[in-house]
């Protein structure tokens, strides 16, 4: 009986790309995104007056500092950690080191779990969508038109959007997992040679191991008394 893991196992992704290539592309893409975010955060730390965003009193009734120095430092550390994790996954897929792919796979699982919790919170508390829209600044485009829409339609649209994101993230998780299985399988699988005759089947070790085995000493000759 084929297990569910083996049933969904495939060495290709995106219909034409190998899972190793797909994992390398995905790791590089995540590294580029986090590198751009890191540059923006470092620029904000270098010139906080220019990059610090304030909400005016006419929008929320008070002056709120959205991003202070502590939050910028935390976001910078997270971006550095993400670049390290993505770099490890890219290197592990390229050099076929399965252990280097595990941190990136764990990050994908954590990110998928967070998005799932967001979807559950929207279902349990549908009014949170309206509350979130009310917190948006007044200059947000089409804010009034969106808020005038029926609440159930907004919840359905948000759930549909989150469902599409979760489906795409689940597919990427499957690609990275298949890459991990492929790389780990190539490192542990031994090549076996079967020699089949009419009535027997002989299992031979790999050629490299066979030539490395030292020959056995011949048995001692029988000495007659």
């Amino acid at each position: 009986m084929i297990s569910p893991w083996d049933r969904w196992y495939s060495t290709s992704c995106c219909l034409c790309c190998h899972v190793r290539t797909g994992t390398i592309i995905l790791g590089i893409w995540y590294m580029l995104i986090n590198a751009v975010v890191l540059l923006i955060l470092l620029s904000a730390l270098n010139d906080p007056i220019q990059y610090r965003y304030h909400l005016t009193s006419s929008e929320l009734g008070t002056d709120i500092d959205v991003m202070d120095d502590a939050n910028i430092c935390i976001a910078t550390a997270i971006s550095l950690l993400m670049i390290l994790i993505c770099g490890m996954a890219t290197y592990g897929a390229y050099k076929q080191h399965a252990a280097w792919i595990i941190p990136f796979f764990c990050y994908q699982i954590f990110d998928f779990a967070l998005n799932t919790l967001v979807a559950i919170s929207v279902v349990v508390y549908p009014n949170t969508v309206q509350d979130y829209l009310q917190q948006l600044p007044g200059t947000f485009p089409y804010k009034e038109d969106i808020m005038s829409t029926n609440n159930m339609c907004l919840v359905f649209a948000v759930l549909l959007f989150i469902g599409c994101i979760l489906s795409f993230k689940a597919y990427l998780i499957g690609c990275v997992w298949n890459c991990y299985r492929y790389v780990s399988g190539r490192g542990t699988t031994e090549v076996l040679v079967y020699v089949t005759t009419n009535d027997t089947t002989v299992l031979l070790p790999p050629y490299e191991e066979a030539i490395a085995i030292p020959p056995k000493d011949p048995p001692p000759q029988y000495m007659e008394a």
Side-chain angles (χ1 to χ4, degrees), residues 143-160:
K143 176 183 177 181
E144 299 298 331
D145 296 335
I146 297 175
M147 291 187 63
S148 62
T149 310
N150 187 11
N151 190 28
M152 294 302 298
C153 295
L154 284 176
V155 172
F156 178 77
V158 171
L159 288 178
L160 182 62

Side-chain angles (χ1 to χ4, degrees), residues 73-182:
C73 292
I74 294 174
T76 302
I78 293 175
S79 297
L80 288 173
L81 180 62
M82 285 302 307
I83 292 175
L84 177 62
I85 292 175
C86 298
M88 290 174 60
T90 304
Y91 178 81
Y94 180 72
K95 292 294 186 178
Q96 299 190 22
H97 298 310
W100 291 66
I101 307 176
I102 294 178
F104 184 70
F105 179 75
C106 294
Y107 157 73
Q108 286 184 301
I109 297 295
F110 178 74
D111 182 60
F112 185 84
L114 286 181
N115 286 271
T116 304
L117 291 177
V118 172
I120 294 175
S121 65
V122 172
V123 174
V124 177
Y125 304 103
N127 293 328
T128 55
V129 179
Q130 289 287 348
D131 296 338
Y132 176 76
L133 292 175
Q134 291 177 0
Q135 295 176 3
L136 293 176
T139 56
F140 188 82
Y142 305 106
K143 176 183 177 181
E144 299 298 331
D145 296 335
I146 297 175
M147 291 187 63
S148 62
T149 310
N150 187 11
N151 190 28
M152 294 302 298
C153 295
L154 284 176
V155 172
F156 178 77
V158 171
L159 288 178
L160 182 62
F161 178 72
I162 297 177
C164 294
I165 294 178
L166 288 177
S167 300
F168 182 68
K169 288 181 178 293
Y171 181 77
L172 294 180
I173 290 174
C175 294
V176 175
W177 174 249
N178 288 335
C179 177
Y180 170 78
R181 292 189 60 186
Y182 173 80

